Amino acid sequence: MESKLMDINPSIKTLLDQTFDSFDNVLTQHDFNPRLIETGKVTYVGRGNARVNGLPNVQSEELLQFPNHVLGLALNLDADEVGVVLLDHSDQLTVGDEVRRTHRLLDIPVGESLIGRVIDPVGRPLDGHGPVSAAERRPYEREAASITNRSPVTVPLQTGQKVIDALIPIGRGQRELILGDRQTGKTAIAIDTILNQRNQNMICIYCAIGQRNTAVAKVIDDLRKHGALEYTAVVVAESDAPPGLQFVAPYAATTLGEYFMDQGRDVLVVYDDLTSHARSYRELSLLLRRPPGREAFPGDIFFLHSRLLERSTHLIESLGGGSLTALPIAETEAQNLAAYIPTNLISITDGQIYLSPHLFQKGILPAVDVGRSVSRVGGKTQLPAYRAVAGDLRLSYAQFEELEAFSRFSSRLDEETLATLERGRRVREIFKQHQYQPLSVPEQIAVLLAMTAGVFDKTEINQIRKAEEVVQKTLLNEFPDLSEQILEGEKLSEEIQRAIIKSAENRIHTLNQ
């Protein structure tokens, strides 16, 4: 028995020696690098904001960590305390809680995996489909591309809506403002534009800021029903979210869009809406005791939106040639375009689409007021075939609206004026379009070509919709190769135009009989 113990002891001794040698090596190689953790104390907690002292080295817009995983952004750096905007509800915070510096800016996850997902501005999932996996994380704020890195806007962004694509065209990389009173169809235009990007190699991002939960749920459901979530990401900061979360929402959506733009892809971002964004920032600023200015908005509200929308651009080819198109939405009150926020946004953007409540009440949908709408860039992006058809249409339509207004005061009109009015009413009827029914470019061109040639002049107003469908089918059935030629940027020859008009006239004549 003793001999067996003597045999085992050497092996145990060897094992112990090896173990202690390993411990010695680990301790020798370990690089002890103590890290300073700066903490402060909460001195005040309000709705969406807090004040903290004990963080003298904190930097502007640095991310702070509160108890219970509550996050905040340091915005006010005062001598004795720090004003913090909370990105979560403040219900679980109390005075005296410990606050830690993170030494980093707020960043959000970006990547292909976010397509089809619904997230909040911090990157947390809201759709119940599990955690978000990301290719990388990027800060929510970023400098806009320099002038030398920008390329001219030359490629059209087709919205699928005749009145916009014909009269107020938009280019990829442009910033086009959509504004109007409440319930005039602003979101509907943006959603139809997203639906029309199917199979167009376009990534879409819908950013809801301060919208009702029911309204956001309806938009998401509409996108899902029409298959648009396959190429769309949704960033949501609903109306009951903390104002700090609403404040960072459009920047987070832009950061996500820039990830795809840097890969050379085309991106469309819809901000719905920046009026609510400005109100949330005004609330935060007043709570942080910043001095109010016009309409109680802080003085930097213009810079707030300009640094956001300046990130939309078309990059040069050496940087991939990607683009980020912005469709910000703004709300007016009583058609007041001269209010502070609308005038700010109009001066920042490259044009605006104004929706009139009077047209909306008359059932003229989309209720685009052509006289007050403009695109300062998009005209150069129109396809040659489109430009040839819709060249003088905007001016003639605006003249018709003026003539119609004055004709109400006269009971005796000459034949030429009556013919102009009848043509204008049919043009307006053509521009009407149901929601969720965007039209392709060839279909639009066929209808507009027939309209400018007077094909619909003898068609009753209540038959215009059927006549329009007949013309669309005529192009697709009798000229199948023409669609590709139009999309490739080829001009319509006079012979082709005459053939389309002749075929449309025959079909419309049969319909009128």
Side-chain angles (χ1 to χ4, degrees):
M1 189 69 176
E2 292 180 0
S3 61
K4 290 184 177 180
L5 290 174
M6 293 295 293
D7 293 338
I8 295 174
N9 286 338
S11 62
I12 294 176
K13 182 178 182 301
T14 303
L15 179 61
L16 291 174
D17 290 341
Q18 293 176 351
T19 302
F20 286 120
D21 288 341
S22 298
F23 286 158
D24 291 338
N25 291 334
V26 170
L27 292 174
T28 302
Q29 296 175 4
H30 176 63
D31 183 16
F32 180 64
N33 185 19
R35 184 167 60 93
L36 178 65
I37 299 178
E38 297 184 50
T39 62
K41 295 292 183 181
V42 176
T43 60
Y44 168 82
V45 178
R47 183 186 181 276
N49 73 309
R51 291 198 287 272
V52 178
N53 64 11
L55 295 176
N57 298 319
V58 70
Q59 298 183 11
S60 178
E61 298 189 10
E62 182 179 339
L63 192 65
L64 300 180
Q65 179 70 58
F66 291 80
N68 301 313
H69 305 287
V70 175
L71 299 176
L73 284 179
L75 282 193
N76 273 22
L77 303 183
D78 299 326
D80 300 325
E81 61 184 8
V82 178
V84 181
V85 170
L86 299 177
L87 302 180
D88 296 281
H89 290 288
S90 58
D91 303 342
Q92 300 176 339
L93 296 182
T94 58
V95 173
D97 283 343
E98 184 182 87
V99 186
R100 291 190 176 189
R101 288 187 63 188
T102 62
H103 299 276
R104 64 185 180 90
L105 296 174
L106 173 66
D107 53 18
I108 66 164
V110 295
E112 295 282 348
S113 60
L114 275 82
I115 299 300
R117 299 298 304 271
V118 181
I119 61 173
D120 73 356
V122 183
R124 294 171 291 205
L126 301 176
D127 51 10
H129 293 167
V132 174
S133 59
E136 59 179 284
R137 299 186 70 91
R138 290 190 175 188
Y140 82 108
E141 284 264 30
R142 177 181 168 183
E143 287 189 11
S146 64
I147 296 297
T148 56
N149 291 334
R150 296 175 183 242
S151 184
V153 176
T154 56
V155 180
L157 173 76
Q158 304 296 341
T159 66
Q161 298 164 85
K162 291 167 289 188
V163 65
I164 296 177
D165 291 341
L167 307 182
I168 320 157
I170 304 172
R172 298 192 180 190
Q174 187 175 341
R175 301 156 298 179
E176 185 77 7
L177 177 65
I178 303 173
L179 79 163
D181 287 6
R182 289 176 58 88
Q183 302 296 324
T184 51
K186 301 184 295 294
T187 302
I189 286 181
I191 296 304
D192 278 353
T193 303
I194 292 177
L195 299 183
N196 196 54
Q197 305 314 309
R198 187 177 184 85
N199 300 322
Q200 300 295 321
N201 194 27
M202 175 80 77
I203 298 295
C204 299
I205 300 171
Y206 176 77
C207 180
I209 311 165
Q211 303 298 308
R212 299 189 310 273
N213 291 343
T214 53
V216 176
K218 183 180 183 304
V219 168
I220 296 173
D221 186 57
D222 290 340
L223 294 175
R224 182 179 292 109
K225 282 181 180 178
H226 295 86
L229 276 184
E230 299 174 3
Y231 52 87
T232 304
V234 182
V235 180
V236 178
E238 68 276 8
S239 57
D240 57 354
L245 212 56
Q246 298 180 36
F247 163 63
V248 301
Y251 297 98
T254 307
T255 296
L256 178 57
E258 285 177 333
Y259 170 79
F260 298 103
M261 180 180 68
D262 292 341
Q263 294 179 339
R265 305 175 71 175
D266 294 317
V267 185
L268 169 66
V269 182
V270 175
Y271 305 103
D272 191 10
D273 61 55
L274 290 188
T275 305
S276 298
H277 179 247
R279 289 170 182 161
S280 66
Y281 185 64
R282 175 173 61 182
E283 178 182 355
L284 290 174
S285 298
L286 294 176
L287 289 173
L288 292 173
R289 304 175 183 174
R290 293 187 174 185
R294 177 180 169 186
E295 297 183 18
F297 285 101
D300 63 340
I301 189 69
F302 181 88
F303 177 60
L304 185 79
H305 286 152
S306 64
R307 75 173 188 256
L308 168 69
L309 296 175
E310 278 298 318
R311 295 164 69 178
S312 303
T313 186
H314 179 205
L315 296 177
I316 57 177
E317 288 299 327
S318 59
L319 295 178
S323 69
L324 195 152
T325 308
L327 288 183
I329 297 175
E331 180 183 306
T332 57
E333 295 180 354
Q335 308 177 58
N336 183 18
L337 295 180
Y340 189 34
I341 300 303
T343 51
N344 278 351
L345 292 172
I346 288 173
S347 64
I348 295 170
T349 51
D350 306 312
Q352 69 274 350
I353 299 172
Y354 176 70
L355 302 182
S356 167
H358 298 309
L359 296 178
F360 186 88
Q361 293 164 7
K362 292 178 182 179
I364 303 174
L365 303 177
V368 177
D369 188 332
V370 177
R372 294 188 178 186
S373 303
V374 65
S375 176
R376 302 184 184 94
V377 177
K380 300 178 181 178
T381 68
Q382 272 188 322
L383 295 172
Y386 219 131
R387 197 179 301 118
V389 172
D392 300 328
L393 191 57
R394 176 184 172 85
L395 178 60
S396 61
Y397 187 68
Q399 290 173 341
F400 153 71
E401 290 184 325
E402 293 291 333
L403 183 61
E404 186 182 41
F406 281 108
S407 66
R408 296 171 185 167
F409 301 102
S410 176
S411 58
R412 301 178 62 182
L413 300 173
D414 59 88
E415 293 184 2
E416 183 179 352
T417 301
L418 288 173
T420 302
L421 290 173
E422 289 299 322
R423 169 74 66 87
R425 293 188 181 103
R426 281 157 178 77
V427 171
R428 183 167 58 197
E429 196 68 24
I430 286 293
F431 281 146
K432 289 183 181 180
Q433 195 167 339
H434 293 304
Q435 193 176 2
Y436 311 129
Q437 295 182 3
L439 293 178
S440 66
V441 175
E443 290 174 322
Q444 292 187 41
I445 288 179
V447 173
L448 295 177
L449 182 61
M451 179 181 65
T452 54
V455 175
F456 300 111
D457 287 354
K458 296 182 180 180
T459 304
E460 295 295 331
I461 296 292
N462 57 5
Q463 293 293 317
I464 291 293
R465 184 73 60 187
K466 292 182 179 179
E468 180 184 354
E469 294 176 356
V470 167
V471 173
Q472 295 169 12
K473 293 178 181 178
T474 299
L475 177 72
L476 297 177
N477 296 334
E478 300 184 14
F479 305 91
D481 299 332
L482 189 59
S483 298
E484 294 184 5
Q485 297 177 14
I486 293 174
L487 294 176
E488 289 175 358
E490 296 185 14
K491 292 184 179 180
L492 287 180
S493 64
E494 293 185 3
E495 182 180 353
I496 293 294
Q497 292 185 29
R498 286 194 296 268
I500 295 175
I501 293 171
K502 184 65 176 177
S503 179
E505 286 177 343
N506 294 335
R507 295 294 185 93
I508 297 300
H509 180 71
T510 303
L511 177 66
N512 291 337
Q513 289 181 339

